Amino acid sequence: KNQVEQSPQSLIILEGKNCTLQCNYTVSPFSNLRWYKQDTGRGPVSLTIMTFSENTKSNGRYTATLDADTKQSSLHITASQLSDSASYICVVYYAGNNRKLIWGLGTSLAVNP
Amino acid sequence: DTAVSQTPKYLVTQMGNDKSIKCEQNLGHDTMYWYKQDSKKFLKIMFSYNNKELIINETVPNRFSPKSPDKAHLNLHINSLELGDSAVYFCASSQAGIGRAGELFFGEGSRLTVL
């Protein structure tokens, strides 16, 4: 079954600290993997999009990695800020029949002062 | 200037009523989508239109009917609302198809509460 699982479910860190969020998927075949940030009460905003041939991609303090062999991705946030408090969602594009994006449930991150 | 805008932002209504949510994008994108986010925060695609043509129609009750008068607008009409329809509905758009790593741009969401 094509699934996207994220861990941890929630995370609390202090401002200025780094953190890493994990995404494991069983989607096959897949062609790209995305990370979205969703602030409370807002729509998701794209952070990174990686094709299956890419290993890493950065967007400011956000760095995503992808290991297509082990079907794992991570999102690393450096020097966290209060505004990083949000839900981070991993999304994998299923490239088989009935092509579609398969969404994870997200990791809820709280950055405290 | 908002890229993807939805109205209304909040909608509270009684069971059995009919309601519509409107969406407009000014990004010049060819593809628009409706997503439903339930209480567990899980985002699920409902419909996708490319240049006014329906290309994705997931298994949703036929009480939900999308309408795309032009490629910049995608509206969602819901008949005979049920309690389980309570959710946040997101409109989104993309230039390229999502299979070509097209980036999705989301609206702010429309929170529907059915009493």
Side-chain angles (χ1 to χ4, degrees), chain A residues 15-28:
Chain A
E15 187 179 10
K17 297 296 186 184
N18 304 335
C19 68
T20 300
L21 314 181
Q22 299 291 341
C23 173
N24 296 337
Y25 60 94
T26 58
V27 180
S28 181

Side-chain angles (χ1 to χ4, degrees), chain A residues 31-34 36 46 48-52 54 57 93 101, chain B residues 33 94-105:
Chain A
S31 65
N32 61 72
L33 184 146
R34 307 143 184 254
Y36 284 86
S46 178
T48 63
I49 301 176
M50 290 185 290
T51 64
F52 62 86
E54 294 179 288
K57 186 165 270 191
Y93 181 69
L101 291 176
Chain B
Y33 312 80
S94 66
Q95 176 60 343
I98 55 175
R100 287 182 280 154
E103 186 173 339
L104 279 172
F105 291 82

Side-chain angles (χ1 to χ4, degrees), chain A residues 30 38 70 82 85 87 93 101-103:
Chain A
F30 88 102
Q38 185 174 20
T70 62
L82 298 179
S85 297
S87 179
Y93 181 69
L101 291 176
I102 298 180
W103 294 71

Side-chain angles (χ1 to χ4, degrees), chain B residues 28-71:
Chain B
H29 290 168
D30 289 333
T31 308
M32 295 184 71
Y33 312 80
W34 276 111
Y35 279 85
K36 179 181 181 181
Q37 189 170 42
D38 59 26
S39 56
K40 294 182 180 178
K41 305 299 183 185
F42 187 67
L43 265 159
K44 185 174 181 182
I45 191 166
M46 301 172 70
F47 303 101
S48 174
Y49 270 74
N50 181 272
N51 260 321
K52 302 193 298 176
E53 183 181 343
L54 180 66
I55 56 172
I56 294 176
N57 184 353
E58 290 294 307
T59 307
V60 298
N62 56 16
R63 299 181 294 103
F64 291 79
S65 53
K67 280 189 173 56
S68 181
D70 55 62
K71 75 173 192 176

